[in-house]
Amino acid sequence: MPDIMKFIVNEGALDKDPAGNLIALNDWSEDIARKLAREMKIELKADHWEVVNFLRDLYRQQGRPAHARDVLQALEERFAKKGGRKYLYLLFPGGAVTQGSRIAGLPVPKDSTDPSFGTAI
């Protein structure tokens, strides 16, 4: 069994795996998202929430993604009219897949932390 870190939010503790992903996806809430975002120096605004909600919907529809590029492609397609990848990096400087997934309470695809993608935090 992997080591589990405790993440304190208000009085409750949430289980996270060593990579920082929430273990129980149902533990997620908007308050938890705000706390996670603050730790990443991100102030969540309407544009951020649009991405976070899109990621959560995508996960509900398709399950855990096999590759980060699949998530990034879906994000770029959805937000193309707003600027695509450039727009997403303005919102999530550490990468929309990595930071966005963590804030959304979703497991981050394993291949999303390759520094050559510019998504490592």
Side-chain angles (χ1 to χ4, degrees):
M1 182 169 182
D3 291 332
I4 297 175
M5 300 181 295
K6 292 291 184 181
F7 178 69
I8 306 299
V9 176
N10 298 329
E11 285 111 36
L14 299 176
D15 291 331
K16 291 173 71 179
D17 67 16
N21 301 312
L22 292 179
I23 291 175
L25 298 180
N26 291 332
D27 285 343
W28 184 88
S29 71
E30 288 187 4
D31 287 337
I32 290 169
R34 286 183 196 93
K35 174 140 177 64
L36 291 166
R38 272 193 307 273
E39 289 180 355
M40 295 179 208
K41 309 282 190 255
I42 296 173
E43 181 185 343
L44 295 178
K45 298 186 176 173
D47 290 340
H48 295 92
W49 285 113
E50 189 176 4
V51 174
V52 166
N53 289 323
F54 175 80
L55 287 168
R56 290 188 61 81
D57 289 343
L58 184 68
Y59 188 87
R60 276 192 285 276
Q61 293 167 7
Q62 299 180 2
R64 186 173 189 154
H67 300 285
R69 72 176 171 265
D70 298 332
V71 178
L72 182 59
Q73 184 176 14
L75 283 165
E76 288 178 333
E77 186 175 305
R78 167 62 180 83
F79 296 98
K81 290 182 180 178
K82 292 187 175 190
R85 188 178 296 206
K86 288 181 182 183
Y87 167 76
L88 294 166
Y89 274 102
L90 289 173
L91 296 175
F92 301 97
V97 174
T98 303
Q99 287 183 319
S101 293
R102 284 224 169 91
I103 292 168
L106 303 172
V108 177
K110 292 178 183 173
D111 59 350
S112 68
T113 57
D114 182 344
S116 67
F117 289 149
T119 59
I121 37 179

